[in-house]
């Protein structure tokens, strides 16, 4: 479970509901027609904006935002350095036996190519093309949430305009202007809340996860190429460690270093 | 028919018209002079902003948004792998007989060049130049809708300003302020609706379709070059499959793989 | 004459003036002091923002927006293919006689270099440097109009603020609030109209014209280099045709192709 | 201590508190529920938007904004030129003795590689990869503050909407509208103050510090490579001095130059 | 003196002051506390946002905006062509005597390197690094004014919010609402005026000057390299002239050309 996402959603809702509950008539904020125009309008615009295929992926993407798969660069580096060490001592073909233990699909494919004797350029070309496709798909996921964060306040405003026009048109007694305006503003409130508490931060989290996954895969790619070229394991580790923040580099490894 | 576009337009209009119908006096929202200034102003600004030639293409572009031509990357890959296989076994000239069966113009031209014995660099140069021109033209189409999404709220505001100035100038009895303001706000409502339910999402869909078409053509380009260079069909498939999301890669092909 | 620019300006003004005329007191919208602060402020900020030399070019640039010089890529391609054909048959020096007939200065210079025996890299370097300078100058022209589209609503708002402050300060009888507010809003209206009906679309048209001119010059550059290298005229045409949209490629030429 | 940050925060708060104190009822501006919705909402959205790991780094980052570590490029250049001089005269291995005196970790690692006899390409690859990782991490720090500068006014508006809706709903006596509106506006005020006096300028300072650190490290990288390649110390200094503004280049060094 | 900057400032102030003077009570617009919160807040945020070192350069930068140093590309080109001619006839060492007459520091350094026999790659590397540093420093200067143009309206709004809250809180007699609102709006007016008449256009002028200076230095760099490589002076002139707009190329030189 992604703690920050879950905590953020709970805390954010608590703040807003608390602010509503602290006044009277909190149920006034629960307005089904207002919700329909904001949510419905946002989803309609999003439907037009994207392809069916991309929209269907949104649920898988959403799950990703709420579940954590902390990727440990340090573990990956140890793994790659071990493989580099073995390949150097026993030859690259010796890695064939290791393939069954590899769980990461990207690493598995890369090692398979290396064991099969593919050219380094071919391996790099295929894996980089994979990386680019991955990033493109991630961007579509982020794009859907960014679009919803753009459309939600827009339809909030459209709902408020409809409410204002309806109220102002027949305005006779100024005493009613307050109630009508409050009702009209609820759609603006819904639109802002959806955009700024959900859609925009979710797009942000997706971007952070995407960058993390990309970094991890780049690390694996560099590692595979280093293994194949028979680089000194010490150099391999040095190279791969640059992908990790200095503070997070495991000290055990650094002690082994010299 | 592009289901998401059609569904989105219908659902969006239903939401907005429902919200209007739920109040009284729905016909008040039908205001020809307001529509004229918003639509007319938007179209005028767009006329100035673009070249005649580009504007005329907008209808062809719009049709694209409502009709689907789902491009199947898997089919294209099978096709290219078959061609690579044949070219490898029987020589590249053997593809000449296949040319009649090729429907895709881009693939046809590329294969023709390969059969004619053009240099790989020449083929890449010509086809990439084609790709870039294609993308440029697509960007103009998207640009027209993005511009209209920018101008529509602007002319909505201009219309509201005109209405407000006309009303405020002669404001004598405050009781009339409501009706005048409601009328003035209708242009803002029109501008927002046009921009956020139509123009902006249509530009988004065009961008998605453009990316899809570009990807498809890049895949074909890589395939043609691989065919020409006599690559191993297995490697060709591996390379081309990186253009497809792992989940969508056809399992049959992957099973054949090893 | 650029029909779309002229039509857009006329239609846009007709819409806005029609909306004003449809109400009473249309002359109220004609307010010299309001025009002065919006136009004067916009021009002042633009004066500070640009160099004298760049500002003086704005009139030449404006003329460009209202006059058409439809560039026919197809004609240019025929011309270049003919030249390539001749150069191939009779040698590149034979083009010297053709130079007098060449009107386009860019083509003339390029051919002159080729006839003079300059290195292809030198020709490309000089002509590309020309292209980049051209684009830089075009961007300044667009930048002036984009800046004015930014400053006009800003000074519209400043004018309205001045009007509001003057009115509110001495507000005694609420009955006058309407008239004062209407007057104050006129500068916002002027600013929006200038920005969204004139400055912004004109910047857009300039960008479109610039891209067209650049494309045309890139086409000529590729053509000259192909001529010099003695490429097969058929290949030259194929390469150059990629600059043209498939639908606009002249069928006569395509028929000649094989 | 970073004087500009501290001075800016103090002066900014003094201006705002002074403006509040100059009117009556300054304590009215101290509103805990308003602070909770703005700060709480901003933090909630930020929690969702980022990864735990990144958020934890924010305190370390904040400290950086308030403490100065003025990096002296001139000192670094002298150091590097001295090392280059020594390496040229006594051989690169002679630098091993100097390593203990080197405090900067980046310089230390680079020199260690050079002394170990690593290839220049390897050194450049590892150190540049380090630089890129560093910049990525800095961008996350800036991104957190930029996001908070985006979310704070948004939750300020959400708070004001809640307050307005609560007040307008039961609006009976117009005399109370003032007090309710004042209360509702306090969240907008909080959001704007947080965003424009704290979050946005802090993101700006982080960007400036990041650029400074990157420049310093690039300078060291170029220096190490120049040392390794045995460049003439005079040329080394010339190259490295281009990283420094002409006005800040130390005259002593320039005098030594010829 | 930079005429456009000075004229723009005078004309802009005249427009705004004229509009204020045309109404009654112009002195009402002179409000010291309002000026303090807008200017003070803007400067405080700017202090936090930048480094002391960068902020101190702002005065030197400001002087640049008001003084003209029209750079004549044509003169520079003549100069470089003469030097190329001489270097070609008498050898590059003959330029040593010319060095004393060279005033431009950038040209002087480049020629000195060439005379000293530095490699072309070294000269290009050092001078380009110089160019990039120069541009970075220019961007900081522009960034300070762009930031102030961003912060000024923000603190104008903050000041207006404070004024509105103070006024609305104790609102008893509606007759006073006008005066209070007028006072509150003055900070918004100040913020807008500072941003749109001063800070934003000044950042624009700095960008234009920076581009001009960069172009001039690129021209010199190309010229020096051409001189060193012993290029034909005619070709040198052709190459350098591409940096100049066709309309501004001096006809005398073009006549000499053939």
């Amino acid at each position: 479970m992604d703690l920050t996402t879950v905590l953020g959603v709970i805390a954010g809702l608590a703040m807003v509901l608390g602010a509503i509950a602290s006044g009277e008539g909190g149920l006034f904020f629960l307005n089904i027609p207002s919700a329909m125009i904001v949510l419905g309008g946002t989803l309609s615009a999003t439907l037009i904006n994207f392809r069916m295929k991309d929209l269907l992926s949104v649920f898988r993407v959403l799950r990703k935002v709420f579940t954590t798969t902390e990727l440990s660069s340090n573990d990956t580096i140890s793994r790659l350095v071990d493989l580099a060490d073995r390949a150097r001592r026993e030859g690259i073909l010796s890695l064939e036996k290791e393939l069954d233990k590899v769980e990461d699909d990207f690493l598995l494919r890369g090692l398979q190519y290396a064991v099969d004797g593919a050219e380094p350029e071919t391996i790099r070309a295929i894996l980089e093309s994979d990386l680019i496709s991955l990033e493109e798909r991630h961007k579509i996921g982020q794009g859907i949430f960014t679009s919803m964060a753009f459309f939600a306040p827009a339809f909030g405003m459209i709902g408020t305009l409809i409410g204002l026009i309806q109220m102002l048109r027949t305005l006779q007694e100024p005493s009613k202007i307050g109630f009508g305006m409050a009702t009209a503003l609820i759609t603006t409130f819904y639109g802002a809340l959806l955009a700024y508490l959900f859609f925009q931060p979710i797009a942000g989290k997706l971007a952070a996860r995407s960058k993390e996954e990309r970094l991890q895969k780049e690390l694996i790619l560099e590692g595979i190429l280093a293994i194949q070229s028979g680089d000194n394991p010490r150099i391999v580790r040095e190279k791969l460690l640059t992908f990790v923040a200095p503070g997070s580099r495991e000290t055990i490894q650094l002690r082994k270093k010299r």
Side-chain angles (χ1 to χ4, degrees), chain A:
Chain A
M1 207 166 68
D2 185 323
L3 260 184
T4 55
T5 306
V6 175
L7 266 177
V9 168
I10 291 173
L13 283 176
M15 294 291 164
V16 171
L17 295 178
I20 289 173
S22 73
E24 288 171 37
L27 281 179
F28 182 75
F29 281 85
L30 194 70
N31 188 318
I32 304 293
S34 295
M36 273 184 65
I37 186 146
V38 175
L39 259 179
T42 302
L43 293 179
S44 300
T46 308
L47 265 177
I48 303 176
N49 200 125
F50 291 91
R51 296 179 304 157
M52 182 61 86
K53 170 156 59 172
D54 299 330
L55 289 169
L56 292 176
S57 73
V58 97
F59 301 103
R60 191 170 39 72
V61 159
L62 247 187
R63 218 184 45 204
K64 207 180 209 169
V65 171
F66 283 93
T67 57
T68 317
T69 47
E70 276 299 338
L71 301 169
S72 164
S73 296
N74 281 314
D75 289 358
T76 309
I77 292 175
S78 309
R79 186 74 172 269
L80 288 165
V81 171
D82 284 350
L83 290 169
D85 194 38
R86 180 157 189 169
R88 212 179 193 211
R89 284 185 287 104
E90 311 178 19
I92 196 145
L93 288 179
S94 70
L95 297 186
E96 185 135 40
K97 295 165 252 172
E98 302 284 326
L99 291 180
D100 292 343
K101 301 182 209 147
V102 176
E103 274 162 28
D104 184 280
D105 185 58
F106 191 78
L107 175 55
L108 177 61
R109 289 180 57 208
L111 286 177
Q112 180 68 54
Y113 294 138
V115 169
D116 285 0
E119 297 290 310
E121 299 82 45
T122 310
I123 299 184
R124 181 181 284 279
I126 292 183
L127 295 186
E128 272 185 353
S129 172
D130 234 33
L131 255 175
I132 292 167
S133 302
L134 180 89
E135 219 174 13
E136 285 294 324
R137 286 195 301 277
H138 283 179
K139 269 191 195 142
I140 290 172
Q142 295 160 37
I144 292 176
F145 284 95
T146 311
S147 289
M148 293 201 292
F150 173 81
F151 287 127
F155 280 94
M157 190 187 81
I158 287 175
T160 296
L161 280 169
I162 294 177
L164 278 180
I165 293 171
Q166 284 175 336
M167 175 199 69
L168 289 167
R169 190 181 68 93
T170 54
L171 186 70
Q172 298 288 7
E173 14 177 358
S175 70
K176 275 190 179 167
I177 196 173
F179 190 82
M181 209 141 183
T183 312
L185 282 177
I186 283 181
T187 57
T188 293
F189 167 68
Y190 281 179
L193 196 64
L194 283 172
Y196 303 125
L197 187 56
F198 297 101
F199 299 148
Q200 191 63 47
I202 284 176
K205 176 67 66 79
L206 284 174
R209 287 243 172 282
S210 174
K211 198 172 275 179
E212 184 181 35
E213 197 173 336
R214 190 193 159 104
L215 199 80
Q216 181 80 354
K217 285 197 160 32
E218 274 178 359
L219 194 158
I220 291 174
L221 170 52
E222 290 308 321
I224 289 168
L225 292 175
I227 289 169
Q228 197 191 28
S229 69
D231 272 3
N232 183 329
R234 199 169 77 88
I235 293 288
V236 174
R237 188 170 47 223
E238 290 284 323
K239 254 191 207 165
L240 299 183
L241 276 176
T242 61
F243 284 85
V244 187
S248 311
R249 288 174 195 166
E250 283 190 7
T251 42
I252 311 169
Q253 299 194 342
L254 287 168
R255 239 168 249 155
K256 275 199 262 174
K257 180 180 146 195
R258 313 189 66 206

